[in-house]
Amino acid sequence: MIQESRQDIKSFTLAEMKEQMQELGEKSFRAKQLYEWMHVKLARSYDEMTNLPNALKERCGELFTYTSLEAVKIQESKLDGTKKFLFRLADGNLVESVWMRYKHGNSVCISSQVGCKMGCRFCASTLDGWERNLLPSEMLDQIYAITRLTGERVSNVVVMGTGEPMDNYENLLRFLTLLTDENGLHISQRNITVSTCGIVPKMRQLAEEKLQITLALSLHATTDEKRRKLMPIANRYSLDELMEACAYYFEQTGRRITFEYSLVGGVNDTKEDAEELIALARPLNCHINLIPVNPIKERDYVQSDKTAIEAFKNKLEKNRINVTIRREMGRDIDGACGQLRRSHIAKQS
Ligand code: SAH
């Protein structure tokens, strides 16, 4: 495949857009117009930009790429209205995103990479390996396309779909800048969560950006030994290093960390696990989100039974640890990460 050398227009900040217009000998207000079409009016192509001269649109078309997604499949849950979208990118790759309606507003869960290289044992996104990073614009496009398709404003964004956001750090940061920009969709930093399997140096780097976003750590186990069985990344960074990085994030940003803990029957759901989790959580200002594991057919992990989940939660609560059980949304529509994309690819081949 020929490598695309043109720059991606939707990943420019407004300041960069202004520089580009200056270089083209265009008036500066054209930058604002273009930016608004892309990031506020959510135009899918230059054709929709009715107040711009054709000559400028043609020039931009020659100089820059313009990303846009095509919805290949939309599944709607009959249980709770959750919608799962499968999108095709310009190069034919597929990504999935989820739209959830909550009392406090609509939330979108986006992917940050095509596939994933982290290899977590219970996760479907990683089974076919990693293909490529998503561009900032391709992360935005998932939110923009869903806003257009649902006709409703998105107020919360979670970067918890396929991929490891900290493994695509520069693009993630640019995406966050554009998403929260007052000249764009202007989503509040406090309404954004980024979830990581625990790449310690990047967690520390993110802390130093001093953003007001929530950092979620996929913990899933309470000892290094147990964590290594579930998550290969645990061979690189120990729990001690991870907890230090979490404390540092709180120290730098004042934002409470979220721990995600997927309960796997007979693997990490015992009384001892709960006690170890309490010991880990107690020194930190954190919130624990218990997720009943979503079984994938390629692995034999099973959900903890209801009584084990309740007992686990109660034990944490008794010890004054802030804990919730994640409501399972869209159980009936290929709920777990990466399942929709994978089942679609399997049907094609
Ligand atoms: N790479 C990032 C974000 C994507 S995964 C991370 O690891 O955090 C989003 C969350 O879903 C993670 O907590 C992940 O461990 C969890 N997850 C993945 N597959 C799951 C499954 N089958 N059941 C329950 N949780 C799952």
Side-chain angles (χ1 to χ4, degrees):
M1 205 174 85
I2 306 163
Q3 201 63 38
E4 180 59 73
S5 58
R6 292 175 299 167
Q7 282 184 288
D8 165 30
I9 191 167
K10 219 185 283 172
S11 292
F12 286 138
T13 61
L14 181 56
E16 289 166 343
M17 200 70 238
K18 284 183 179 157
E19 281 167 26
Q20 293 292 337
M21 288 301 111
Q22 206 168 14
E23 270 178 41
L24 289 179
E26 291 285 342
K27 298 236 163 56
S28 149
F29 75 92
R30 294 293 184 204
K32 186 86 194 272
Q33 281 181 316
L34 268 165
Y35 193 87
E36 219 172 66
W37 274 112
M38 290 186 284
H39 299 288
V40 180
K41 297 179 192 161
L42 315 181
R44 277 174 304 179
S45 71
Y46 296 112
D47 296 341
E48 295 179 25
M49 305 182 185
T50 44
N51 61 353
L52 286 178
N54 283 334
L56 173 61
K57 292 195 265 187
E58 273 163 32
R59 192 81 188 103
C60 286
E62 288 158 15
L63 289 173
F64 310 117
T65 53
Y66 195 108
T67 60
S68 116
L69 302 178
E70 188 198 333
V72 181
K73 198 167 180 186
I74 305 174
Q75 292 183 329
E76 182 167 357
S77 165
K78 291 188 181 67
L79 305 173
D80 52 38
T82 295
K83 289 187 179 141
K84 196 141 190 182
F85 296 83
L86 186 68
F87 291 116
R88 185 179 289 117
L89 304 164
D91 65 358
N93 272 309
L94 298 168
V95 290
E96 58 185 81
S97 327
V98 188
W99 180 86
M100 289 156 285
R101 181 182 270 137
Y102 290 102
K103 275 193 218 87
H104 59 265
N106 298 321
S107 184
V108 168
C109 172
I110 65 151
S111 296
S112 56
Q113 297 180 316
V114 179
C116 185
K117 48 176 112 134
M118 295 298 139
C120 298
R121 299 284 303 161
F122 44 80
C123 179
S125 295
T126 201
L127 292 169
D128 294 315
W130 174 86
E131 196 62 45
R132 70 171 175 87
N133 283 331
L134 291 185
L135 296 166
S137 58
E138 291 171 324
M139 292 186 239
L140 290 169
D141 280 343
Q142 297 170 57
I143 301 158
Y144 295 179
I146 289 177
T147 303
R148 287 184 69 123
L149 288 164
T150 58
E152 291 187 36
R153 190 183 146 77
V154 169
S155 54
N156 294 269
V157 172
V158 295
V159 187
M160 262 189 209
T162 298
E164 170 48 48
M166 298 295 172
D167 187 41
N168 185 13
Y169 189 82
E170 295 304 322
N171 287 349
L172 172 79
L173 272 204
R174 185 173 275 270
F175 157 77
L176 293 173
T177 303
L178 294 166
L179 184 64
T180 54
D181 181 11
E182 59 181 1
N183 297 296
L185 271 199
H186 198 187
I187 292 190
S188 158
Q189 286 186 10
R190 287 169 177 269
N191 292 353
I192 300 173
T193 297
V194 173
S195 177
T196 180
C197 63
I199 301 182
V200 167
K202 296 293 178 198
M203 291 165 69
R204 290 185 160 267
Q205 204 175 331
L206 186 67
E208 284 160 15
E209 313 280 352
K210 298 196 194 294
L211 300 176
Q212 286 298 296
I213 61 172
T214 299
L215 180 63
L217 171 68
S218 297
L219 188 61
H220 306 321
T222 50
T223 65
D224 284 320
E225 198 195 339
K226 275 186 261 179
R227 197 161 186 267
R228 283 183 199 130
K229 287 195 186 133
L230 292 173
M231 306 173 74
I233 192 73
N235 292 301
R236 288 269 294 281
Y237 306 107
S238 68
L239 276 175
D240 281 350
E241 288 171 289
L242 266 181
M243 293 306 118
E244 274 171 32
C246 288
Y248 187 64
Y249 190 86
F250 177 71
E251 198 183 292
Q252 293 293 309
T253 63
R255 300 286 294 165
R256 187 173 78 165
I257 297 278
T258 296
F259 287 143
E260 286 156 281
Y261 194 94
S262 292
L263 285 164
V264 188
V267 173
N268 63 1
D269 63 347
T270 62
K271 197 168 144 237
E272 289 73 46
D273 290 308
E275 276 159 8
E276 285 161 3
L277 185 54
I278 291 162
L280 278 180
R282 185 162 278 145
L284 290 165
N285 197 332
C286 67
H287 169 93
I288 296 180
N289 204 355
L290 299 175
I291 315 167
V293 79
N294 209 332
I296 58 174
K297 67 174 187 304
E298 293 80 359
R299 302 272 187 262
D300 52 9
Y301 292 121
V302 293
Q303 264 189 20
S304 309
D305 58 50
K306 285 238 149 44
T307 44
I309 297 176
E310 278 304 317
F312 201 94
K313 177 176 176 251
N314 289 343
K315 184 137 191 75
L316 264 56
E317 271 177 346
K318 273 205 194 95
N319 284 273
R320 292 184 304 281
I321 302 286
N322 207 302
V323 58
T324 45
I325 298 178
R326 179 180 302 166
R327 249 176 75 206
E328 287 183 84
M329 306 282 275
R331 248 338 273 275
D332 52 336
I333 51 166
D334 287 324
C337 304
Q339 281 189 346
L340 176 59
R341 170 168 173 264
R342 223 179 121 72
S343 64
H344 187 83
I345 294 172
K347 270 183 221 138
Q348 306 267 296
S349 53

